Amino acid sequence: MTRHIPADVDVAIVGSGPTGAAYARILSEECPTARIALFEVGPLISDPPGTHVKNIANADERARAQRLSEGPSPLGDDTSTNTMDGYADAAPRLVRPGTFLLRDGYQQPGEDGLPGAAMSANVGGMGAHWTGACPRPGDSERISYLNNLDDLLAEAERLLAVDAHAFDDAPFASEVRKRLADALDNGRDPTRRVASMPLAVVRHDDGRVTWSGSDVVFGDVTRANPNFTLVSDALVTRVLHANGRAAGLLIKDMADGTELTVSARQVVVAGDSLRTPQLLWASNIRPAALGRYLNDQPQTVYAVRLRDVDSEADNPDVDGDTAIVAHSGVNWVPFTDDEPFHGQVMQLDASPVPLADDDIPTPGTIVGLGWFCAKDVQASDRVEFSDTDVDDYGMPAMSIHYRLTDNDHASIAAARAAVVRVGAALGEALDPEPLTFGPGASLHYQGTVRMGETNDGTSVCSPTSEVWDIDGLYVAGNGVIPTPTACNPTLTAVALAVAGARDIATHILVERN
């Protein structure tokens, strides 16, 4: 970390979430002499920079890190630091610790809007607050024209330190997986059967768990790179460009309000799906698809108590020292075109719904099921930006236009029926009906700077994430994903960032040779 802001670099990166960190990491590995600067609007909340807040053991320090991430209007000091507290909350504007909601513009008259749309502002971005789930996309979720997608996904798994078996020994995890498989695996391709959820997490020999944030993606190679500079509290207000080529950034130092220019040969905008198109709009880079094809993942949750598992004797693989923690025993029901939902099945550390005072469930027997749907993607679902009004950062104010189609309502109804059916295979329901969150609650927004195979007006960037008609300008993050997906998008977004970083590295090496 430094307050030195270089005036001239080879690559300038906007945003320090997992995809921005991936660009810094790949470039540090493949072009160690390239001068790289990364700018983050939010503050430093941890050491090393980008650490996941769940790795902060002290509750007060963790709460402080979350409050610092919550943008212009942080939550109160008495707000819970447990992200699972909202698991069964039907509030239309559900806000989770470490994030902040759009102040206004999130819903237009007569539309569904995205009332739950949220962001974070901190070194590490949403990677300091996410659940760590890293499933691979399947069937129609995959980007058909990327022939090297599996190679990119494997590289993303390396950067995120993904482990598919970190919590296999959680109480009753194998029994939950067996019951899920019995209910769902018949007829599925072997690669899309029920499995342990791949998680960006390290399970240490002493039982400690370290969750991957951007610090893991940066890695030692980036932190030790003398040509890499990370600057926090730096608001990028414009991407500079001339004659169809990126030229640098205009930056406002949040510490003292001064403005300065950073020249760059390559620019990467790696914000979220709302603020990346916002910055391009503010920079007068406005391709027809910018901000369009916005999509969220409708999410339904349900909770059951496992039946016929009344004691630890029924769980011989678990010794007395194994603790059940939030997100332990996470199992995965992969998306398929025939069963178009992504299922995330978690054994919870506490019941998400109230139980009787004397009802103390056996650890591992409360199971939460989250079913995600793929959106019926429409060009009309979009985020628009004002040329006159501004947000709390002084950037163009946003207006969300978003509707659930008839197909979406049918998909949500099918997901609700499916999660009840699967829940019944596991145990007894804790609530009579599943809960479907309001639009935006998934935090998995995508599509607003989507990738395309050709420059036909329906996409913002090329298969290497370079913005059409602006050489040297790349976009990154969930917004680049062009397909309707139901699975957690971070792994795919990092994979696409790997491809973009490799493309920049190739350009730099060619220029220098």
Side-chain angles (χ1 to χ4, degrees), residues 483-499:
T483 53
T485 68
C487 71
N488 309 68
T490 302
L491 181 73
T492 302
V494 171
L496 301 183
V498 168

Side-chain angles (χ1 to χ4, degrees), residues 108-376:
Q108 307 308 312
E111 299 182 0
D112 296 287
L114 289 180
M119 301 165 279
S120 63
N122 54 274
V123 172
M126 206 64 99
H129 312 284
W130 68 315
T131 65
C134 288
R136 287 195 176 198
D139 289 2
S140 58
E141 293 180 310
R142 292 173 61 89
I143 304 169
S144 61
Y145 49 82
L146 291 184
N147 296 326
N148 63 337
L149 180 59
D150 288 321
D151 166 65
L152 297 174
L153 290 167
E155 184 70 343
E157 288 166 343
R158 176 181 77 93
L159 298 185
L160 289 161
V162 173
D163 185 346
H165 303 286
F167 293 130
D168 279 1
D169 62 349
F172 306 112
S174 60
E175 179 62 23
V176 170
R177 192 157 49 253
K178 178 182 181 301
R179 295 184 189 186
L180 289 170
D182 289 344
L184 293 165
D185 278 352
N186 186 37
R188 283 179 174 249
D189 183 278
T191 64
R192 305 304 288 174
R193 291 176 180 166
V194 170
S196 298
M197 176 69 77
L199 293 169
V201 63
V202 175
R203 180 84 174 269
H204 301 279
D205 291 341
D206 62 2
R208 291 182 303 110
V209 172
T210 301
W211 295 84
S212 296
S214 290
D215 63 323
V216 172
V217 182
F218 282 128
D220 291 338
V221 65
T222 308
R223 285 186 288 271
N225 183 358
N227 296 309
F228 173 69
T229 302
L230 171 60
V231 184
S232 65
D233 297 297
L235 171 65
V236 177
T237 59
R238 299 289 186 276
V239 173
L240 305 176
H241 56 100
N243 302 317
R245 172 149 198 98
L249 301 173
L250 182 64
I251 296 170
K252 178 181 179 181
D253 189 335
M254 301 293 282
D256 59 16
T258 60
E259 286 192 337
L260 62 156
T261 298
V262 176
S263 298
R265 287 139 193 80
Q266 312 281 344
V267 171
V268 181
V269 183
D272 55 47
S273 296
L274 300 179
R275 287 177 290 182
T276 290
Q278 180 190 49
L279 178 56
L280 266 59
W281 178 272
S283 307
N284 203 31
I285 300 170
R286 302 176 179 181
L290 184 70
R292 291 188 175 273
Y293 303 97
L294 171 64
N295 73 90
D296 178 39
Q297 295 174 343
Q299 179 183 3
T300 293
V301 296
Y302 196 51
V304 302
R305 187 202 300 261
L306 290 179
R307 71 169 67 88
D308 302 328
V309 285
D310 294 330
S311 70
E312 281 193 6
D314 293 322
N315 197 31
D317 295 333
V318 178
D319 61 41
D321 294 329
T322 301
I324 186 78
V325 298
H327 299 84
S328 287
V330 187
N331 285 303
W332 172 33
V333 179
F335 170 97
T336 70
D337 288 342
D338 291 332
E339 186 78 10
F341 314 114
H342 161 73
Q344 186 166 311
V345 182
M346 299 181 293
Q347 290 167 261
L348 307 177
D349 58 344
S351 173
V353 299
L355 300 175
D357 291 342
D358 60 349
D359 187 354
I360 303 175
T362 301
T365 61
I366 301 297
V367 181
L369 300 93
W371 252 232
F372 295 80
C373 304
K375 178 72 171 70
D376 182 18

Side-chain angles (χ1 to χ4, degrees), residues 66 78-91 94-97 326-327 348-353 435 437:
Q66 289 171 323
D78 58 346
T79 304
S80 171
T81 63
N82 185 356
T83 56
M84 291 303 295
D85 282 350
Y87 185 84
D89 192 333
L94 176 63
V95 59
R96 296 171 177 85
H327 299 84
L348 307 177
D349 58 344
S351 173
V353 299
L435 167 66
F437 288 131

